[in-house]
Amino acid sequence: MLFLPLLSICQTKPYEIFGKIEGEYLGKVHLIFDKITATNDSLVAEIKDGKFYFKGTVPYMPILAIFRLSHSPFVRVYIDGPQTHIDFSNKVNVQGNYSSQLFKAVKVTSSHTNSLLFDFEKKRQEIGRFHLDDAEKKEALTKQLSQFIKQHPKNKLSAYLLSQADYLSHKQGKASSALLDASLHQTTEWGNVKRLLDDLYKPQFLNTLFYDVVLQDQNFKDVDTRMLQGKLTLVVFWASWCRPCRAEHPDFNRLYKSYKANGLQIVGISLD
């Protein structure tokens, strides 16, 4: 029994975080380790001459460290070694009686996991600069995420990035989660992936009244959606330029054939 505490101590990972902040700030920076440090019990370091320092132990690495200044947004950084250097910048924007802070990590050294995160976000920003419609952008982001997970199936970062991908369909989310190695199933990141999948599966606007409209069909006749009240109806919004929309048409045809005897009607509303 005397060996158990010693074993527990040996399993912890020591860390040192050296930080520098440029811009406007008050005197302290707060640190929370995801799911380990309570939000209302964050670690605090004084900022002196724009510099701060944290030292301690964590139960495992890599681990997600969450930083914030007073009233600033959270900044997430992965720590995966004994020493990590982080350069932050903070800018305060004031418009009338409203102020906001742009607090971000500019440079993180000695963290391979965070270097992967920076590279991933850089490529994602490049996708955002392309002249793509929303459907094409989602397709590009989905492909980028899938490729990353295939390259790093055992890395916690893969699970973290998937947990943030609320642009996925439930089917895409399930397919991406299947690419993750089973060794991640005990991590906080995997728990966040499961929550995302639950959210993607839940029907949105359940028990909410449909906003009725009057639109013209292909023969220029008015169609009032109030005529569909009390009937089993699937309303599909689509556009001719939307490739994923067009790809779903065969599925809707099969769905209609399967349930038309039960009174199913499908109404397509084009956004062209």
Side-chain angles (χ1 to χ4, degrees):
M1 294 180 63
L2 293 176
F3 291 99
L4 292 178
L6 179 61
L7 178 62
S8 176
I9 292 174
C10 291
Q11 288 178 334
T12 61
K13 306 289 186 179
Y15 71 86
E16 290 182 284
I17 300 174
F18 303 85
K20 182 174 65 175
I21 300 178
E22 293 185 358
E24 303 170 72
Y25 55 85
L26 296 177
K28 297 178 181 179
V29 59
H30 299 258
L31 168 61
I32 303 169
F33 286 109
D34 196 22
K35 303 301 180 183
I36 294 177
T37 312
T39 304
N40 58 357
D41 189 29
S42 60
L43 305 174
V44 180
E46 296 286 340
I47 304 173
K48 297 181 179 179
D49 299 324
K51 297 179 181 179
F52 64 88
Y53 173 73
F54 287 100
K55 182 179 181 180
T57 59
V58 290
Y60 51 79
M61 287 186 184
I63 189 169
L64 187 61
I66 305 174
F67 297 86
R68 69 175 179 86
L69 302 176
S70 179
H71 305 298
S72 79
F74 294 105
V75 174
R76 291 167 171 81
V77 176
Y78 267 97
I79 306 298
D80 59 11
Q83 292 188 339
T84 306
H85 298 256
I86 309 175
D87 290 344
F88 289 106
S89 70
N90 188 54
K91 183 178 180 181
V92 179
N93 296 317
V94 179
Q95 295 180 346
N97 295 326
Y98 176 77
S99 65
S100 62
Q101 296 187 66
L102 182 59
F103 180 49
K104 62 181 181 179
V106 178
K107 183 179 180 182
V108 179
T109 58
S110 306
S111 174
H112 174 68
T113 304
N114 218 76
S115 295
L116 292 174
L117 176 58
F118 269 13
D119 290 343
F120 184 89
E121 291 181 338
K122 182 179 179 181
K123 293 177 182 177
R124 184 166 57 183
Q125 291 170 0
E126 291 173 356
I127 292 174
R129 287 193 288 267
F130 295 153
H131 296 292
L132 303 175
D133 59 46
D134 289 344
E136 291 172 331
K137 187 176 295 184
K138 286 183 179 180
E139 183 179 349
L141 292 173
T142 302
K143 183 178 180 180
Q144 180 203 13
L145 177 61
S146 178
Q147 290 176 340
F148 185 91
I149 296 175
K150 288 178 180 178
Q151 293 172 356
H152 309 282
K154 296 183 178 181
N155 196 310
K156 285 185 178 182
L157 182 57
S158 292
Y160 169 76
L161 292 172
L162 176 55
S163 72
Q164 304 298 304
D166 55 3
Y167 52 84
L168 297 175
S169 67
H170 181 261
K171 183 178 180 180
Q172 291 170 330
K174 286 285 289 184
S176 296
S177 67
L179 299 174
L180 295 171
D181 190 81
S183 62
L184 297 176
H185 288 185
Q186 303 301 318
T187 65
T188 298
E189 288 82 356
W190 174 255
N192 292 334
V193 168
K194 291 173 64 177
R195 277 188 284 275
L196 172 70
L197 294 177
D198 288 342
D199 290 340
L200 294 176
Y201 183 76
K202 293 176 183 175
Q204 294 190 10
F205 308 112
L206 190 65
N207 298 322
T208 301
L209 290 176
F210 181 79
Y211 185 81
D212 288 302
V213 293
V214 178
L215 298 171
Q216 290 185 331
D217 63 13
Q218 64 269 31
N219 297 317
F220 303 102
K221 293 182 179 180
D222 288 343
V223 177
D224 190 336
T225 57
R226 286 176 293 186
M227 298 188 310
L228 304 173
Q229 289 183 1
K231 300 178 181 179
L232 180 60
T233 306
L234 173 63
V235 180
V236 179
F237 294 89
W238 71 288
S240 61
W241 43 261
C242 173
R243 283 184 291 176
C245 300
R246 298 198 305 271
E248 288 180 332
H249 286 179
D251 294 333
F252 290 133
N253 289 334
R254 286 191 290 269
L255 181 68
Y256 177 71
K257 290 178 181 179
S258 298
Y259 293 97
K260 65 178 180 179
N262 300 90
L264 175 66
Q265 300 180 88
I266 299 180
V267 177
I269 298 179
S270 173
L271 303 180
D272 288 321

